[in-house]
Structures are given as structure tokens and as C-alpha cells.
Short mmCIF file of all heavy atoms in Angstrom, two decimals:
data_model
loop_
_atom_site.label_atom_id
_atom_site.label_comp_id
_atom_site.label_asym_id
_atom_site.label_seq_id
_atom_site.Cartn_x
_atom_site.Cartn_y
_atom_site.Cartn_z
N SER E 127 165.80 93.36 102.23
CA SER E 127 164.77 93.48 101.21
C SER E 127 163.37 93.42 101.83
O SER E 127 162.50 94.18 101.48
CB SER E 127 164.96 92.36 100.19
OG SER E 127 163.84 92.28 99.36
N ILE E 128 163.19 92.48 102.76
CA ILE E 128 161.87 92.35 103.40
C ILE E 128 161.62 93.54 104.31
O ILE E 128 160.51 94.06 104.36
CB ILE E 128 161.79 91.01 104.17
CG1 ILE E 128 161.88 89.85 103.19
CG2 ILE E 128 160.53 90.93 104.99
CD1 ILE E 128 161.94 88.52 103.85
N SER E 129 162.65 94.01 105.00
CA SER E 129 162.44 95.14 105.90
C SER E 129 162.14 96.42 105.13
O SER E 129 161.36 97.25 105.59
CB SER E 129 163.67 95.33 106.80
OG SER E 129 164.79 95.66 105.99
N SER E 130 162.70 96.58 103.94
CA SER E 130 162.40 97.77 103.15
C SER E 130 160.97 97.71 102.60
O SER E 130 160.30 98.73 102.46
CB SER E 130 163.40 97.94 102.02
OG SER E 130 163.27 96.86 101.10
N ALA E 131 160.47 96.51 102.29
CA ALA E 131 159.10 96.37 101.81
C ALA E 131 158.10 96.67 102.91
O ALA E 131 157.07 97.30 102.68
CB ALA E 131 158.88 94.97 101.25
N THR E 132 158.39 96.22 104.13
CA THR E 132 157.47 96.51 105.23
C THR E 132 157.56 97.97 105.64
O THR E 132 156.60 98.52 106.15
CB THR E 132 157.78 95.61 106.44
OG1 THR E 132 159.15 95.78 106.82
CG2 THR E 132 157.48 94.16 106.12
N ALA E 133 158.67 98.61 105.41
CA ALA E 133 158.80 100.03 105.73
C ALA E 133 158.03 100.87 104.72
O ALA E 133 157.52 101.94 105.05
CB ALA E 133 160.26 100.44 105.75
N ARG E 134 157.93 100.41 103.48
CA ARG E 134 157.21 101.16 102.45
C ARG E 134 155.70 101.02 102.60
O ARG E 134 154.94 101.89 102.18
CB ARG E 134 157.62 100.68 101.06
CG ARG E 134 158.99 101.11 100.67
CD ARG E 134 159.30 100.65 99.28
NE ARG E 134 160.70 100.86 98.96
CZ ARG E 134 161.32 100.31 97.95
NH1 ARG E 134 160.66 99.49 97.15
NH2 ARG E 134 162.58 100.57 97.72
N GLN E 135 155.24 99.91 103.16
CA GLN E 135 153.80 99.66 103.24
C GLN E 135 153.07 100.71 104.08
O GLN E 135 152.05 101.24 103.63
CB GLN E 135 153.54 98.26 103.77
CG GLN E 135 152.09 97.85 103.67
CD GLN E 135 151.88 96.41 104.10
OE1 GLN E 135 152.75 95.81 104.69
NE2 GLN E 135 150.72 95.88 103.81
N PRO E 136 153.52 101.07 105.27
CA PRO E 136 152.80 102.11 106.01
C PRO E 136 152.82 103.46 105.29
O PRO E 136 151.85 104.21 105.36
CB PRO E 136 153.55 102.19 107.34
CG PRO E 136 154.17 100.86 107.51
CD PRO E 136 154.52 100.41 106.12
N GLN E 137 153.90 103.76 104.59
CA GLN E 137 153.94 105.01 103.85
C GLN E 137 152.90 105.00 102.73
O GLN E 137 152.23 105.99 102.49
CB GLN E 137 155.33 105.24 103.26
CG GLN E 137 156.38 105.54 104.29
CD GLN E 137 157.76 105.66 103.66
OE1 GLN E 137 157.95 105.32 102.49
NE2 GLN E 137 158.73 106.12 104.44
N PHE E 138 152.77 103.86 102.07
CA PHE E 138 151.78 103.74 101.00
C PHE E 138 150.36 103.86 101.56
O PHE E 138 149.51 104.53 100.98
CB PHE E 138 151.95 102.40 100.27
CG PHE E 138 150.86 102.13 99.27
CD1 PHE E 138 150.82 102.82 98.08
CD2 PHE E 138 149.85 101.21 99.53
CE1 PHE E 138 149.82 102.59 97.16
CE2 PHE E 138 148.86 100.97 98.62
CZ PHE E 138 148.84 101.67 97.43
N LEU E 139 150.12 103.21 102.69
CA LEU E 139 148.79 103.29 103.30
C LEU E 139 148.47 104.71 103.74
O LEU E 139 147.35 105.18 103.57
CB LEU E 139 148.69 102.32 104.48
CG LEU E 139 148.71 100.84 104.12
CD1 LEU E 139 148.68 100.00 105.38
CD2 LEU E 139 147.54 100.50 103.22
N ALA E 140 149.45 105.40 104.30
CA ALA E 140 149.22 106.78 104.72
C ALA E 140 148.98 107.68 103.52
O ALA E 140 148.13 108.57 103.56
CB ALA E 140 150.41 107.27 105.54
N ALA E 141 149.73 107.43 102.44
CA ALA E 141 149.55 108.25 101.24
C ALA E 141 148.20 107.97 100.58
O ALA E 141 147.59 108.86 100.00
CB ALA E 141 150.68 107.97 100.25
N ALA E 142 147.70 106.75 100.67
CA ALA E 142 146.40 106.42 100.08
C ALA E 142 145.26 106.89 100.96
O ALA E 142 144.18 107.22 100.46
CB ALA E 142 146.31 104.91 99.86
N ALA E 143 145.46 106.93 102.26
CA ALA E 143 144.39 107.30 103.17
C ALA E 143 144.19 108.81 103.24
O ALA E 143 143.08 109.27 103.51
CB ALA E 143 144.67 106.76 104.57
N ALA E 144 145.23 109.58 102.98
CA ALA E 144 145.12 111.03 103.11
C ALA E 144 144.09 111.64 102.16
O ALA E 144 143.26 112.44 102.59
CB ALA E 144 146.49 111.67 102.91
N PRO E 145 144.06 111.27 100.86
CA PRO E 145 143.02 111.84 99.99
C PRO E 145 141.62 111.39 100.38
O PRO E 145 140.66 112.15 100.25
CB PRO E 145 143.39 111.34 98.60
CG PRO E 145 144.81 110.98 98.67
CD PRO E 145 145.05 110.54 100.08
N ALA E 146 141.50 110.16 100.87
CA ALA E 146 140.18 109.67 101.26
C ALA E 146 139.64 110.44 102.46
O ALA E 146 138.46 110.80 102.51
CB ALA E 146 140.24 108.18 101.58
N VAL E 147 140.51 110.72 103.41
CA VAL E 147 140.09 111.50 104.59
C VAL E 147 139.77 112.93 104.18
O VAL E 147 138.78 113.51 104.63
CB VAL E 147 141.19 111.46 105.67
CG1 VAL E 147 140.88 112.44 106.79
CG2 VAL E 147 141.33 110.05 106.22
N GLY E 148 140.57 113.49 103.27
CA GLY E 148 140.30 114.84 102.79
C GLY E 148 138.97 114.93 102.06
O GLY E 148 138.21 115.88 102.23
N ALA E 149 138.67 113.90 101.26
CA ALA E 149 137.40 113.90 100.53
C ALA E 149 136.22 113.76 101.50
O ALA E 149 135.18 114.39 101.32
CB ALA E 149 137.38 112.77 99.52
N ALA E 150 136.38 112.95 102.53
CA ALA E 150 135.31 112.78 103.50
C ALA E 150 135.06 114.07 104.28
O ALA E 150 133.91 114.44 104.54
CB ALA E 150 135.63 111.63 104.46
N LEU E 151 136.13 114.76 104.62
CA LEU E 151 135.98 116.03 105.34
C LEU E 151 135.37 117.10 104.44
O LEU E 151 134.54 117.89 104.88
CB LEU E 151 137.32 116.50 105.89
CG LEU E 151 137.87 115.71 107.08
CD1 LEU E 151 139.26 116.20 107.44
CD2 LEU E 151 136.95 115.84 108.27
N ALA E 152 135.78 117.11 103.18
CA ALA E 152 135.27 118.13 102.26
C ALA E 152 133.80 117.91 101.93
O ALA E 152 133.05 118.85 101.73
CB ALA E 152 136.10 118.13 100.98
N SER E 153 133.38 116.65 101.89
CA SER E 153 131.98 116.37 101.55
C SER E 153 131.05 116.56 102.73
O SER E 153 129.84 116.57 102.55
CB SER E 153 131.85 114.94 101.01
OG SER E 153 132.11 114.03 102.05
N GLY E 154 131.60 116.68 103.91
CA GLY E 154 130.74 116.86 105.08
C GLY E 154 130.14 115.56 105.58
O GLY E 154 129.13 115.56 106.25
N ALA E 155 130.74 114.42 105.25
CA ALA E 155 130.20 113.14 105.65
C ALA E 155 130.42 112.87 107.12
O ALA E 155 129.58 112.25 107.77
CB ALA E 155 130.82 112.02 104.81
N LEU E 156 131.53 113.30 107.65
CA LEU E 156 131.83 113.00 109.04
C LEU E 156 130.90 113.72 110.02
O LEU E 156 130.43 113.10 110.97
CB LEU E 156 133.30 113.31 109.35
CG LEU E 156 134.31 112.39 108.65
CD1 LEU E 156 135.73 112.80 108.99
CD2 LEU E 156 134.08 110.95 109.03
N PRO E 157 130.56 115.00 109.83
CA PRO E 157 129.61 115.61 110.75
C PRO E 157 128.23 114.96 110.69
O PRO E 157 127.54 114.89 111.69
CB PRO E 157 129.55 117.07 110.30
CG PRO E 157 130.85 117.31 109.65
CD PRO E 157 131.20 116.01 108.98
N ALA E 158 127.84 114.45 109.53
CA ALA E 158 126.54 113.81 109.43
C ALA E 158 126.53 112.50 110.20
O ALA E 158 125.51 112.12 110.77
CB ALA E 158 126.19 113.56 107.97
N VAL E 159 127.64 111.81 110.23
CA VAL E 159 127.71 110.55 110.97
C VAL E 159 127.76 110.84 112.46
O VAL E 159 127.14 110.14 113.26
CB VAL E 159 128.95 109.74 110.52
CG1 VAL E 159 129.17 108.53 111.40
CG2 VAL E 159 128.79 109.33 109.07
N ALA E 160 128.49 111.87 112.85
CA ALA E 160 128.68 112.16 114.27
C ALA E 160 127.45 112.81 114.89
O ALA E 160 127.26 112.74 116.10
CB ALA E 160 129.89 113.07 114.43
N GLU E 161 126.61 113.43 114.08
CA GLU E 161 125.46 114.16 114.61
C GLU E 161 124.36 113.18 115.02
O GLU E 161 124.00 112.29 114.27
CB GLU E 161 124.93 115.10 113.53
CG GLU E 161 123.79 115.97 113.98
CD GLU E 161 123.33 116.89 112.87
OE1 GLU E 161 124.16 117.25 112.02
OE2 GLU E 161 122.15 117.25 112.86
N GLU E 162 123.84 113.36 116.21
CA GLU E 162 122.76 112.51 116.71
C GLU E 162 121.42 113.14 116.32
O GLU E 162 121.21 114.32 116.53
CB GLU E 162 122.86 112.38 118.23
CG GLU E 162 121.87 111.41 118.84
CD GLU E 162 122.18 109.96 118.48
OE1 GLU E 162 123.35 109.65 118.26
OE2 GLU E 162 121.22 109.17 118.43
N ILE E 163 120.53 112.33 115.76
CA ILE E 163 119.22 112.82 115.34
C ILE E 163 118.19 112.24 116.29
O ILE E 163 118.09 111.02 116.45
CB ILE E 163 118.91 112.40 113.89
CG1 ILE E 163 119.94 113.01 112.95
CG2 ILE E 163 117.53 112.83 113.49
CD1 ILE E 163 119.83 112.54 111.53
N ASP E 164 117.41 113.12 116.93
CA ASP E 164 116.39 112.61 117.86
C ASP E 164 115.17 112.13 117.09
O ASP E 164 115.06 112.30 115.88
CB ASP E 164 116.02 113.68 118.89
CG ASP E 164 115.47 114.93 118.25
OD1 ASP E 164 115.71 115.14 117.05
OD2 ASP E 164 114.78 115.71 118.95
N ALA E 165 114.24 111.52 117.81
CA ALA E 165 113.08 110.89 117.17
C ALA E 165 112.18 111.91 116.49
O ALA E 165 111.66 111.64 115.40
CB ALA E 165 112.30 110.09 118.21
N ALA E 166 111.98 113.06 117.11
CA ALA E 166 111.12 114.08 116.51
C ALA E 166 111.71 114.62 115.21
O ALA E 166 110.99 114.82 114.23
CB ALA E 166 110.90 115.23 117.50
N GLU E 167 113.02 114.80 115.19
CA GLU E 167 113.69 115.27 113.98
C GLU E 167 113.59 114.24 112.86
O GLU E 167 113.33 114.58 111.70
CB GLU E 167 115.16 115.56 114.28
CG GLU E 167 115.98 115.97 113.09
CD GLU E 167 115.91 117.44 112.80
OE1 GLU E 167 115.49 118.21 113.68
OE2 GLU E 167 116.25 117.82 111.68
N ALA E 168 113.76 112.98 113.20
CA ALA E 168 113.66 111.91 112.20
C ALA E 168 112.24 111.82 111.66
O ALA E 168 112.03 111.64 110.45
CB ALA E 168 114.08 110.59 112.80
N TYR E 169 111.24 111.96 112.54
CA TYR E 169 109.85 111.90 112.10
C TYR E 169 109.53 113.08 111.18
O TYR E 169 108.89 112.91 110.14
CB TYR E 169 108.91 111.90 113.30
CG TYR E 169 107.46 111.96 112.93
CD1 TYR E 169 106.83 110.83 112.42
CD2 TYR E 169 106.72 113.13 113.05
CE1 TYR E 169 105.50 110.86 112.06
CE2 TYR E 169 105.40 113.17 112.68
CZ TYR E 169 104.79 112.04 112.20
OH TYR E 169 103.48 112.08 111.83
N ASN E 170 109.98 114.28 111.56
CA ASN E 170 109.74 115.45 110.72
C ASN E 170 110.41 115.32 109.37
O ASN E 170 109.85 115.71 108.34
CB ASN E 170 110.23 116.72 111.43
CG ASN E 170 109.34 117.11 112.57
OD1 ASN E 170 108.18 116.71 112.63
ND2 ASN E 170 109.88 117.89 113.50
N ARG E 171 111.61 114.74 109.35
CA ARG E 171 112.33 114.56 108.09
C ARG E 171 111.61 113.56 107.19
O ARG E 171 111.48 113.76 105.99
CB ARG E 171 113.75 114.09 108.40
CG ARG E 171 114.71 114.29 107.27
CD ARG E 171 116.10 113.92 107.65
NE ARG E 171 116.73 114.95 108.48
CZ ARG E 171 117.98 114.89 108.90
NH1 ARG E 171 118.73 113.86 108.58
NH2 ARG E 171 118.47 115.85 109.63
N LYS E 172 111.11 112.46 107.80
CA LYS E 172 110.35 111.47 107.03
C LYS E 172 109.06 112.07 106.50
O LYS E 172 108.68 111.83 105.36
CB LYS E 172 110.02 110.26 107.90
CG LYS E 172 111.17 109.33 108.13
CD LYS E 172 110.73 108.16 108.99
CE LYS E 172 111.87 107.27 109.36
NZ LYS E 172 111.45 106.16 110.21
N LEU E 173 108.39 112.85 107.32
CA LEU E 173 107.13 113.46 106.92
C LEU E 173 107.35 114.46 105.77
O LEU E 173 106.59 114.47 104.79
CB LEU E 173 106.49 114.16 108.12
CG LEU E 173 105.07 114.66 107.96
CD1 LEU E 173 104.13 113.47 107.81
CD2 LEU E 173 104.66 115.48 109.16
N LEU E 174 108.38 115.27 105.88
CA LEU E 174 108.69 116.24 104.83
C LEU E 174 109.08 115.55 103.53
O LEU E 174 108.65 115.94 102.45
CB LEU E 174 109.82 117.15 105.29
CG LEU E 174 109.40 118.56 105.63
CD1 LEU E 174 110.43 119.23 106.51
CD2 LEU E 174 109.19 119.35 104.37
N THR E 175 109.86 114.48 103.64
CA THR E 175 110.28 113.76 102.44
C THR E 175 109.09 113.09 101.77
O THR E 175 108.92 113.17 100.55
CB THR E 175 111.34 112.71 102.80
OG1 THR E 175 112.43 113.35 103.43
CG2 THR E 175 111.83 111.97 101.57
N GLY E 176 108.23 112.47 102.56
CA GLY E 176 107.04 111.82 102.01
C GLY E 176 106.10 112.82 101.37
O GLY E 176 105.57 112.57 100.27
N SER E 177 105.89 113.95 102.01
CA SER E 177 104.99 114.95 101.43
C SER E 177 105.58 115.56 100.17
O SER E 177 104.84 115.89 99.24
CB SER E 177 104.67 116.03 102.46
OG SER E 177 105.84 116.68 102.88
N ALA E 178 106.89 115.69 100.10
CA ALA E 178 107.52 116.20 98.88
C ALA E 178 107.34 115.23 97.72
O ALA E 178 107.05 115.65 96.60
CB ALA E 178 109.00 116.45 99.13
N TYR E 179 107.49 113.94 97.99
CA TYR E 179 107.26 112.94 96.94
C TYR E 179 105.81 112.95 96.47
O TYR E 179 105.54 112.90 95.27
CB TYR E 179 107.62 111.53 97.44
CG TYR E 179 109.08 111.21 97.37
CD1 TYR E 179 109.79 110.85 98.51
CD2 TYR E 179 109.77 111.25 96.17
CE1 TYR E 179 111.13 110.54 98.45
CE2 TYR E 179 111.12 110.95 96.10
CZ TYR E 179 111.79 110.59 97.24
OH TYR E 179 113.12 110.28 97.18
N VAL E 180 104.87 113.01 97.41
CA VAL E 180 103.45 113.02 97.04
C VAL E 180 103.12 114.27 96.23
O VAL E 180 102.41 114.20 95.22
CB VAL E 180 102.57 112.93 98.31
CG1 VAL E 180 101.12 113.24 98.00
CG2 VAL E 180 102.69 111.54 98.92
N LEU E 181 103.63 115.41 96.64
CA LEU E 181 103.37 116.66 95.92
C LEU E 181 103.96 116.64 94.51
O LEU E 181 103.30 117.05 93.55
CB LEU E 181 103.92 117.84 96.72
CG LEU E 181 103.56 119.22 96.21
CD1 LEU E 181 102.05 119.44 96.32
CD2 LEU E 181 104.29 120.28 97.02
N ALA E 182 105.18 116.12 94.38
CA ALA E 182 105.80 116.05 93.06
C ALA E 182 105.04 115.11 92.13
O ALA E 182 104.79 115.43 90.97
CB ALA E 182 107.26 115.61 93.20
N LEU E 183 104.66 113.94 92.65
CA LEU E 183 103.93 112.98 91.82
C LEU E 183 102.54 113.49 91.45
O LEU E 183 102.08 113.27 90.33
CB LEU E 183 103.85 111.63 92.52
CG LEU E 183 105.17 110.88 92.62
CD1 LEU E 183 105.00 109.61 93.46
CD2 LEU E 183 105.72 110.54 91.26
N SER E 184 101.88 114.18 92.39
CA SER E 184 100.56 114.72 92.06
C SER E 184 100.66 115.85 91.04
O SER E 184 99.79 115.98 90.18
CB SER E 184 99.85 115.20 93.33
OG SER E 184 100.57 116.23 93.94
N ALA E 185 101.73 116.64 91.09
CA ALA E 185 101.91 117.69 90.08
C ALA E 185 102.13 117.08 88.70
O ALA E 185 101.59 117.57 87.70
CB ALA E 185 103.09 118.59 90.47
N ILE E 186 102.90 115.99 88.65
CA ILE E 186 103.11 115.31 87.37
C ILE E 186 101.79 114.74 86.86
O ILE E 186 101.47 114.85 85.67
CB ILE E 186 104.18 114.21 87.53
CG1 ILE E 186 105.54 114.84 87.75
CG2 ILE E 186 104.21 113.28 86.33
CD1 ILE E 186 106.62 113.86 88.15
N LEU E 187 101.01 114.14 87.75
CA LEU E 187 99.73 113.56 87.35
C LEU E 187 98.77 114.64 86.84
O LEU E 187 98.09 114.45 85.83
CB LEU E 187 99.10 112.81 88.53
CG LEU E 187 97.80 112.07 88.25
CD1 LEU E 187 98.02 110.99 87.21
CD2 LEU E 187 97.25 111.49 89.51
N VAL E 188 98.71 115.78 87.52
CA VAL E 188 97.85 116.87 87.07
C VAL E 188 98.32 117.38 85.71
O VAL E 188 97.48 117.67 84.82
CB VAL E 188 97.82 118.00 88.12
CG1 VAL E 188 97.23 119.28 87.55
CG2 VAL E 188 97.04 117.56 89.34
N GLY E 189 99.61 117.47 85.50
CA GLY E 189 100.13 117.89 84.21
C GLY E 189 99.75 116.93 83.10
O GLY E 189 99.38 117.35 81.99
N ILE E 190 99.82 115.64 83.36
CA ILE E 190 99.42 114.64 82.36
C ILE E 190 97.93 114.75 82.06
O ILE E 190 97.51 114.70 80.90
CB ILE E 190 99.80 113.22 82.84
CG1 ILE E 190 101.31 113.05 82.84
CG2 ILE E 190 99.14 112.16 81.99
CD1 ILE E 190 101.79 111.77 83.47
N ILE E 191 97.12 114.92 83.10
CA ILE E 191 95.67 115.03 82.91
C ILE E 191 95.34 116.28 82.09
O ILE E 191 94.51 116.24 81.17
CB ILE E 191 94.94 115.03 84.27
CG1 ILE E 191 95.03 113.64 84.90
CG2 ILE E 191 93.50 115.46 84.12
CD1 ILE E 191 94.54 113.56 86.31
N VAL E 192 95.97 117.39 82.40
CA VAL E 192 95.70 118.63 81.66
C VAL E 192 96.14 118.49 80.20
O VAL E 192 95.40 118.90 79.29
CB VAL E 192 96.41 119.83 82.35
CG1 VAL E 192 96.44 121.04 81.44
CG2 VAL E 192 95.71 120.15 83.66
N SER E 193 97.30 117.90 79.97
CA SER E 193 97.75 117.77 78.58
C SER E 193 96.85 116.83 77.79
O SER E 193 96.55 117.10 76.62
CB SER E 193 99.20 117.28 78.54
OG SER E 193 99.28 115.93 78.94
N GLN E 194 96.38 115.76 78.40
CA GLN E 194 95.48 114.84 77.70
C GLN E 194 94.11 115.49 77.46
O GLN E 194 93.50 115.28 76.41
CB GLN E 194 95.32 113.54 78.50
CG GLN E 194 96.57 112.71 78.55
CD GLN E 194 97.06 112.31 77.18
OE1 GLN E 194 96.31 111.89 76.33
NE2 GLN E 194 98.37 112.44 76.97
N ALA E 195 93.64 116.28 78.41
CA ALA E 195 92.37 116.99 78.21
C ALA E 195 92.48 118.01 77.08
O ALA E 195 91.54 118.15 76.28
CB ALA E 195 91.95 117.67 79.51
N ARG E 196 93.62 118.69 76.98
CA ARG E 196 93.80 119.64 75.88
C ARG E 196 93.85 118.92 74.54
O ARG E 196 93.32 119.42 73.54
CB ARG E 196 95.08 120.44 76.09
CG ARG E 196 94.96 121.43 77.25
CD ARG E 196 96.21 122.21 77.44
NE ARG E 196 96.45 123.05 76.26
CZ ARG E 196 97.50 123.82 76.10
NH1 ARG E 196 98.43 123.85 77.03
NH2 ARG E 196 97.64 124.55 75.02
N LYS E 197 94.45 117.74 74.49
CA LYS E 197 94.47 116.97 73.24
C LYS E 197 93.06 116.54 72.85
O LYS E 197 92.70 116.59 71.68
CB LYS E 197 95.36 115.73 73.39
CG LYS E 197 96.83 116.00 73.32
CD LYS E 197 97.61 114.71 73.43
CE LYS E 197 99.09 114.98 73.45
NZ LYS E 197 99.87 113.74 73.60
N LEU E 198 92.26 116.14 73.84
CA LEU E 198 90.90 115.71 73.54
C LEU E 198 90.05 116.88 73.06
O LEU E 198 89.21 116.72 72.16
CB LEU E 198 90.26 115.07 74.77
CG LEU E 198 90.81 113.70 75.16
CD1 LEU E 198 90.16 113.21 76.44
CD2 LEU E 198 90.58 112.70 74.04
N VAL E 199 90.25 118.07 73.62
CA VAL E 199 89.50 119.24 73.18
C VAL E 199 89.93 119.64 71.78
O VAL E 199 89.10 120.02 70.94
CB VAL E 199 89.68 120.40 74.19
CG1 VAL E 199 89.15 121.70 73.63
CG2 VAL E 199 88.98 120.06 75.50
N ASP E 200 91.23 119.56 71.49
CA ASP E 200 91.71 119.89 70.15
C ASP E 200 91.17 118.92 69.11
O ASP E 200 90.95 119.28 67.96
CB ASP E 200 93.24 119.87 70.10
CG ASP E 200 93.85 121.09 70.75
OD1 ASP E 200 93.11 122.08 70.96
OD2 ASP E 200 95.06 121.07 71.05
N ASN E 201 90.96 117.66 69.51
CA ASN E 201 90.38 116.68 68.60
C ASN E 201 88.87 116.81 68.48
O ASN E 201 88.25 116.07 67.74
CB ASN E 201 90.71 115.26 69.07
CG ASN E 201 92.17 114.93 68.87
OD1 ASN E 201 92.84 115.54 68.07
ND2 ASN E 201 92.64 113.94 69.59
N LYS E 202 88.29 117.73 69.24
CA LYS E 202 86.86 117.96 69.30
C LYS E 202 86.08 116.71 69.72
O LYS E 202 84.96 116.48 69.33
CB LYS E 202 86.33 118.47 67.96
CG LYS E 202 87.02 119.73 67.49
CD LYS E 202 86.08 120.63 66.71
CE LYS E 202 86.76 121.83 66.14
NZ LYS E 202 87.59 122.57 67.03
N TRP E 203 86.75 115.89 70.54
CA TRP E 203 86.11 114.67 71.03
C TRP E 203 85.06 114.99 72.09
O TRP E 203 84.05 114.32 72.20
CB TRP E 203 87.18 113.73 71.61
CG TRP E 203 86.65 112.42 72.02
CD1 TRP E 203 86.34 111.38 71.22
CD2 TRP E 203 86.36 111.99 73.36
NE1 TRP E 203 85.89 110.33 71.95
CE2 TRP E 203 85.88 110.68 73.28
CE3 TRP E 203 86.44 112.60 74.61
CZ2 TRP E 203 85.51 109.95 74.40
CZ3 TRP E 203 86.08 111.87 75.72
CH2 TRP E 203 85.60 110.56 75.61
N LEU E 204 85.30 116.07 72.87
CA LEU E 204 84.38 116.41 73.94
C LEU E 204 83.22 117.25 73.44
O LEU E 204 82.21 117.37 74.14
CB LEU E 204 85.11 117.17 75.04
CG LEU E 204 86.16 116.37 75.84
CD1 LEU E 204 86.88 117.28 76.80
CD2 LEU E 204 85.48 115.25 76.59
N ASN E 205 83.32 117.83 72.27
CA ASN E 205 82.24 118.71 71.79
C ASN E 205 81.13 117.94 71.12
O ASN E 205 81.23 116.96 70.52
CB ASN E 205 82.79 119.74 70.81
CG ASN E 205 83.72 120.69 71.54
OD1 ASN E 205 83.65 120.80 72.74
ND2 ASN E 205 84.57 121.36 70.80
#
């Protein structure tokens, strides 16, 4: 009884691990972990990400300012 339980455990682990490995390979997670990123690439990635955030937030801010200015003009507050 004990030997049959220990024989089933590796089969269960292999059956549970196979979909996880397949999902990791399909998502492309393993090449991202294995790929080495040099300092210049990391700096460029940080710079691009930061500038994208600043540009998106400034576009939202300009949109809010324009919409509020249009409301004020419609209310004839500026005239």
C-alpha cells in the first residue's frame, strides 16, 4: 500500500508540472528570464517607460484643462 502511494506521487507531480511548463513556454517567460540585459538597454527601457508615463499624464492634464476651459466659456464666465 505504501509502495503504491509513493509510486503514484511522481506521476502526479509530473502530470501537474507538465501544464505549468507548457504555460511558461507559451507565454514566453523563460526566454525573458534567460536573456541578459546590459546596462544601456536597461537605461533606455527605463527612459522610454518614464517618458511614456509623463506623456500620457500630460495628455490627460491637457484634456482636463481644455474641457474645463470650454465649460467656463460656455458659462460666459470669461467674457
Side-chain angles (χ1 to χ4, degrees):
S127 168
I128 295 175
S129 64
S130 65
T132 56
R134 288 182 189 165
Q135 189 175 14
Q137 290 176 350
F138 173 73
L139 291 177
V147 170
L151 287 175
S153 67
L156 292 179
V159 172
E161 183 179 332
E162 186 69 29
I163 299 173
D164 60 340
E167 176 85 17
Y169 176 75
N170 287 340
R171 199 175 283 183
K172 284 181 185 179
L173 190 67
L174 252 160
T175 303
S177 60
Y179 278 122
V180 167
L181 188 64
L183 290 175
S184 62
I186 290 171
L187 184 62
V188 166
I190 291 172
I191 290 172
V192 166
S193 71
Q194 292 301 315
R196 289 181 65 182
K197 283 182 184 178
L198 289 176
V199 169
D200 284 344
N201 288 339
K202 303 213 185 312
W203 185 78
L204 292 175
N205 293 340

